Amino acid sequence: MQASFSPRQAEILAAARRDGAASISALAAALGVSLETVRRDIRALVDDGHLVKKHGTVHVPDHGREAPFDRRMRENAAEKRRIARHVARLIADGDSIMMDTGTTTSILARELAARRELTIVTNSSDVARTLATVNGNKVFMAGGELHGDNGAAFGRTAIDFAARFRVRHAIISIGAIDARMGPMDYLLEEAEFARTVLSCGDNRILATDHTKFDRSALVKVCDFADFDLLVADRPPPAAIADALGAAGGRFEVAAD
């Protein structure tokens, strides 16, 4: 089974990933709980290898100097490439696309390198760099507060900018998908931007690998009715497939 985090644990993880390290006392104050409560939440995360505890702080495990986004680009990379290739087949020369930031959408951008005269709207500097100035593409990059980890812009400015567009394909990636809550993510600003992306597309696609199934994250992104197609490397569990079907959506499994 995949790891499942409580809302408090998800917020602790998000803080450690965002800032590199987080003070245990500061986490307790921010979450409005006692030190003992937050230590209990942290203990489980440390035992499972998600965090390292040292001198009153917690931080993500040290995998060298590379950024967490770079590490995530290599996690389940083969599955993400299959998903990206599958989604890329749905996109034709001249199409308009809006994408959020994420490892799957970054890999999708690389799969779209052979397409011509695309119009791309994104908050991801990685997606923008990959597709700009080649093959007659036109790229619109949302502005806003830049995140150092993934090089993406967030906030009201980014959301207002994206909301001005109407595109043929709206594509997002997520951190988790739960049969009851639907698609979820760990950071509020990422969930808000992803929700905006879906509202701007005629063909609304959620691209995610199977490790996100039956997981819970901190923030709900949308309902099952808010997207049309789920593309994954494996069929979703029955409860997720049923919820998607009841909302009028469908799923496709990326072929090898």
Side-chain angles (χ1 to χ4, degrees):
M1 292 181 63
Q2 301 298 325
S4 179
F5 308 119
S6 71
R8 225 173 22 240
Q9 287 174 319
E11 195 161 348
I12 291 167
L13 273 173
R17 288 168 176 165
R18 182 181 62 244
D19 301 328
S23 160
I24 294 173
S25 59
L27 286 169
L31 295 168
V33 297
S34 68
L35 278 171
E36 182 53 39
T37 296
V38 82
R39 286 187 181 116
R40 187 164 54 246
D41 288 330
I42 288 169
R43 192 175 304 123
L45 295 171
V46 170
D47 289 344
D48 288 340
H50 299 293
L51 290 176
V52 174
K53 180 173 175 287
K54 185 177 181 180
H55 302 314
T57 65
V58 290
H59 57 87
V60 293
D62 183 10
H63 298 289
R65 293 179 177 270
E66 64 179 344
F69 186 80
D70 296 328
R71 293 200 301 272
R72 295 198 302 274
M73 283 287 284
R74 294 202 304 271
E75 293 173 355
N76 305 304
E79 291 87 347
K80 291 173 181 177
R81 281 194 296 271
R82 288 206 305 274
I83 294 166
R85 286 195 295 267
H86 188 98
V87 174
R89 294 186 192 107
L90 305 176
I91 297 170
D93 290 349
D95 272 350
S96 56
I97 311 154
M98 187 179 296
M99 287 189 278
D100 68 349
T101 186
T103 55
T104 303
T105 45
S106 281
I107 293 172
L108 172 60
R110 288 150 177 78
E111 292 294 328
L112 292 174
R115 299 292 186 274
R116 303 189 63 83
E117 298 182 345
L118 298 174
T119 299
I120 302 103
V121 184
T122 185
N123 69 329
S124 166
S125 60
D126 182 72
V127 170
R129 283 194 309 268
T130 301
L131 293 173
T133 71
V134 296
N135 298 338
N137 294 335
K138 185 180 296 183
V139 175
F140 294 92
M141 173 76 192
E145 181 184 358
L146 197 67
H147 277 206
D149 175 22
N150 54 24
F154 293 102
R156 177 50 53 188
T157 302
I159 287 173
D160 289 346
F161 178 85
R164 295 159 61 186
F165 292 85
R166 187 73 192 178
V167 297
R168 183 173 183 188
H169 303 287
I171 305 165
I172 69 167
S173 57
I174 53 165
I177 182 166
D178 175 79
R180 183 176 62 86
M181 292 294 293
M184 306 183 76
D185 221 322
Y186 293 99
L187 295 177
L188 176 62
E189 54 266 40
E190 292 194 10
E192 289 176 335
F193 191 84
R195 192 178 306 122
T196 301
V197 170
L198 292 177
S199 73
C200 296
D202 297 326
N203 183 29
R204 305 166 298 173
I205 302 170
L206 193 156
T208 189
D209 67 85
H210 72 277
T211 65
K212 310 304 191 301
F213 294 153
D214 285 336
R215 294 182 67 169
S216 179
L218 182 63
V219 186
K220 178 174 179 173
V221 173
C222 63
D223 292 316
F224 284 100
D226 294 326
F227 63 98
D228 307 301
L229 174 65
L230 169 67
V231 179
D233 58 303
R234 296 182 189 176
I240 292 175
D242 290 346
L244 179 60
R250 69 189 194 283
F251 69 86
E252 295 179 4
V253 178
D256 290 331

